Amino acid sequence: MSVSIVVPCYNVAPYVEECLESLVNQSLQDLEIICVNDGSTDATPALLDAWARRDGRIRVIHRENGGQASARNVGMDVAAGEYVGFVDPDDYVERAMFARLVEESRRHGADVTACGYTSFSDGDGSVLEELSWSPAAGVEKEVQSSVARADSVWERMDVVTCNKLYRREFLNRHGLRFETSFRSMEDDVLWLMALAHASCLAVIPDRLYWYRRRRRGSVSQMLEEQDRPLLLVAERLLHATAYWKKCGWLESGLERGWASRALRHYLLARLLRPEQPLPQLDAEEWMRLRGKCREWFALAGSTEPFRAMGKWDFALCRLLASPPERPGRLSRAWWKLLSRCRGRRGRYYGLKGKLSCCGGGK
């Protein structure tokens, strides 16, 4: 078959009918739908079994609760399609989604193909344009030999898993699976790991996926409210970069600018965004964040590969890679004064003051 669609399900009875309706009515009929019931305690298991009796392409796997990452991995392990896609059970998709992605992937021989998505509110169904994604079309071949740049294809594809189609042989050849120790933001980690192996990426602008947001109690809603907590971001960036080193790709990633783009995209943009207040972390959390960042720069070997990132980005790199300072009262007062400057300069000195409170630990 062409596509295996993996749907991890946990207590989603109010939503699963709409999701599966959109999948069984795909214009591409040559597919299987693997629903992994992750220990649901509501009506989800019964609904899934009823759907499996109605449509032979639906397969239901019942298991004890182990988290979304683990449930997705179970589905990947039994998938038989040429391609593997992921749909969350509280979302739904356009009728042409998988036909379009397969067509584009085959046209270019892409390992990963992505489309845009429309975010909508769980409360009233209204479209949330500020959280939607309409990427410019693009194809990047020879990914491993290219230099990352602004508006690169991989950034246009976004980090979410559900707008993508992966070649199953590509995933299995490199042993790519979701990291089960993470109960959130595991999409980011798989995406960064996949980049170390991909030879061709493709993206189309069509918004083919409908992404439910603001669902009370969902992990994604919690992360949106907290602006994706920086400690989680730093931990996952460190995990993915350690994987790059393990598979022998870190040096190439540093040389060709991929590590710089990942660092800026995932971490520096959040820290140096002047229009937003500084992250609300206590002293211990600032210490942990700085420790994770120091580990990351230790993996990179030095801050030199990041010199071309711009004055304040590079200054922050040097700050995060250095041991915590023990400034005197005068230095603190000077940094506080400079933190009132406009733009990135003021933001940098505000961060410098926060990070200097970390103590002498790692």
Side-chain angles (χ1 to χ4, degrees):
M1 62 194 69
S2 295
V3 178
S4 297
I5 304 171
V6 178
V7 187
C9 301
Y10 177 72
N11 288 353
V12 286
Y15 308 102
V16 73
E17 292 279 339
E18 184 176 33
C19 175
L20 291 180
E21 188 76 36
S22 73
L23 296 181
V24 299
N25 288 314
Q26 286 292 291
S27 58
L28 178 72
Q29 291 287 295
D30 182 23
L31 51 80
E32 65 174 350
I33 303 164
I34 304 169
C35 298
V36 183
N37 169 41
D38 192 37
S40 297
T41 57
D42 65 354
T44 298
L47 291 171
L48 295 177
D49 287 339
W51 269 98
R53 289 191 292 270
R54 289 161 55 187
D55 193 312
R57 297 171 300 168
I58 296 177
R59 176 179 180 181
V60 180
I61 300 173
H62 297 285
R63 47 169 260 150
E64 294 183 0
N65 181 259
Q68 179 174 258
S70 178
R72 284 172 168 172
N73 288 345
V74 168
M76 293 166 75
D77 289 342
V78 301
E82 179 184 357
Y83 297 95
V84 177
F86 302 90
V87 173
D88 285 343
D90 54 348
D91 301 334
Y92 62 93
V93 302
E94 292 288 341
R95 187 171 183 270
M97 175 171 171
F98 288 101
R100 289 282 289 110
L101 288 175
V102 167
E103 176 188 25
E104 195 71 11
S105 181
R106 287 176 175 165
R107 177 182 297 142
H108 302 291
D111 293 315
V112 191
T113 306
C115 64
Y117 55 80
T118 300
S119 293
F120 66 100
S121 173
D122 181 50
D124 59 8
S126 59
V127 171
L128 305 171
E129 284 294 338
E130 70 278 10
L131 297 174
S132 298
W133 191 254
S134 299
V139 177
E140 187 167 56
K141 298 190 176 183
E142 306 297 333
V143 173
Q144 298 306 306
S145 62
S146 67
V147 178
R149 62 191 184 280
D151 195 36
S152 59
V153 169
W154 79 270
E155 285 191 287
R156 276 184 264 160
M157 297 173 78
D158 202 11
V159 300
V160 298
T161 294
C162 293
N163 71 331
K164 296 180 177 64
L165 195 67
Y166 291 84
R167 276 199 310 115
R168 184 169 65 91
E169 188 274 335
F170 166 74
L171 293 172
N172 290 342
R173 174 158 39 97
H174 299 292
L176 292 170
R177 293 294 187 269
F178 292 93
E179 176 52 51
T180 57
S181 63
F182 298 145
R183 287 299 184 111
S184 61
M185 289 176 60
E186 65 273 14
D187 291 17
D188 305 62
V189 178
L190 181 72
W191 183 226
L192 289 175
M193 290 166 62
L195 287 176
H197 305 290
S199 59
C200 179
L201 303 173
V203 60
I204 57 176
D206 313 52
R207 288 188 186 181
L208 301 174
Y209 191 91
W210 286 80
Y211 188 177
R212 189 183 302 271
R213 304 271 195 155
R214 300 176 179 171
R215 178 165 72 86
R216 183 173 297 178
S218 69
V219 173
S220 61
Q221 173 61 15
M222 178 198 73
L223 293 176
E224 284 175 23
E225 291 172 351
Q226 300 177 14
D227 190 29
R228 300 168 72 87
L230 276 171
L231 279 169
L232 295 183
V233 173
E235 288 170 0
R236 281 141 183 76
L237 180 60
L238 178 60
H239 181 93
T241 309
Y243 175 83
W244 288 1
K245 185 171 185 177
K246 179 181 176 181
C247 69
W249 190 73
L250 179 57
E251 184 175 343
S252 176
L254 288 166
E255 176 188 347
R256 301 186 182 282
W258 286 80
S260 297
R261 296 298 301 171
L263 178 64
R264 179 180 288 158
H265 181 84
Y266 283 94
L267 193 64
L268 299 187
R270 302 175 191 279
L271 286 170
L272 281 175
R273 197 181 294 163
E275 67 275 11
Q276 291 192 358
L278 281 169
Q280 297 302 303
L281 305 179
D282 59 31
E284 181 182 352
E285 289 171 325
W286 279 114
M287 181 176 69
R288 287 169 55 201
L289 175 63
R290 187 165 192 167
K292 291 295 179 185
C293 291
R294 289 188 68 199
E295 287 183 58
W296 193 90
F297 284 105
L299 273 177
S302 74
T303 59
E304 285 306 302
F306 312 103
R307 184 175 288 278
M309 295 176 67
K311 178 179 179 179
W312 296 111
D313 280 324
F314 182 60
L316 184 56
C317 287
R318 293 181 63 185
L319 177 63
L320 293 172
S322 303
E325 302 174 66
R326 295 184 180 275
R329 186 177 300 173
L330 185 60
S331 293
R332 289 182 185 277
W334 179 238
W335 296 343
K336 186 174 182 179
L337 180 63
L338 290 173
S339 71
R340 297 173 184 171
C341 295
R342 291 183 179 181
R344 296 165 75 83
R345 184 185 187 194
R347 186 58 173 255
Y348 168 79
Y349 282 103
L351 285 165
K352 191 174 177 71
K354 290 286 187 183
L355 292 167
S356 69
C357 300
C358 294
K362 182 179 179 182

